[in-house]
Amino acid sequence: MRWFIFAVLLVANVATGLSVAYDRFRHRQLFAELRKLEKARDELDLQFSQLQLEQATMAEPTLIDRAAREHLGMINPTPQDTVAVRP
């Protein structure tokens, strides 16, 4: 009977040790994945900030006016091209 209890305790001890080792291994894997995802998040945050800055720059009226003139061939209407509609 003593040997049986000893064997059960030995198996439980080995199983517990293996469980702890696996948990530490899994923790390291998840921590490495977390670091990788945090790095990707930081890169996306930087890219988003740069895009916001670019959007703010492109939304300036002078740049919009220049783009309309150069790329779309738009011009300001002359007084002869203006028609007033009255109700």
Side-chain angles (χ1 to χ4, degrees), residues 1 10 21 24 28 37 69 77:
M1 185 65 171
L10 181 64
R24 290 183 62 87
R28 285 188 191 116
L37 291 172
R69 291 177 190 279

Side-chain angles (χ1 to χ4, degrees), residues 62-79:
T62 55
L63 291 177
I64 294 172
D65 185 54
R66 185 183 318 148
R69 291 177 190 279
E70 292 176 1
H71 299 292
L72 300 175
M74 299 176 85
I75 57 171
N76 285 331
T78 62

Side-chain angles (χ1 to χ4, degrees), residues 6-23:
F6 177 75
V8 169
L9 291 175
L10 181 64
V11 168
N13 194 12
V14 169
T16 303
L18 290 174
S19 176
V20 168
Y22 176 76
D23 285 344

Side-chain angles (χ1 to χ4, degrees), residues 14-62:
V14 169
T16 303
L18 290 174
S19 176
V20 168
Y22 176 76
D23 285 344
R24 290 183 62 87
F25 169 74
R26 187 72 181 131
H27 177 267
R28 285 188 191 116
Q29 281 183 326
L30 291 173
F31 189 74
E33 185 177 346
L34 174 67
R35 289 292 177 213
K36 191 186 313 180
L37 291 172
E38 286 175 340
K39 183 178 179 185
R41 180 206 58 202
D42 293 343
E43 289 173 2
L44 287 172
D45 282 344
L46 178 63
Q47 185 179 8
F48 181 68
S49 297
Q50 290 171 343
L51 288 172
Q52 283 181 318
L53 180 62
E54 182 180 344
Q55 181 183 23
T57 303
M58 293 300 226
E60 289 191 24
T62 55

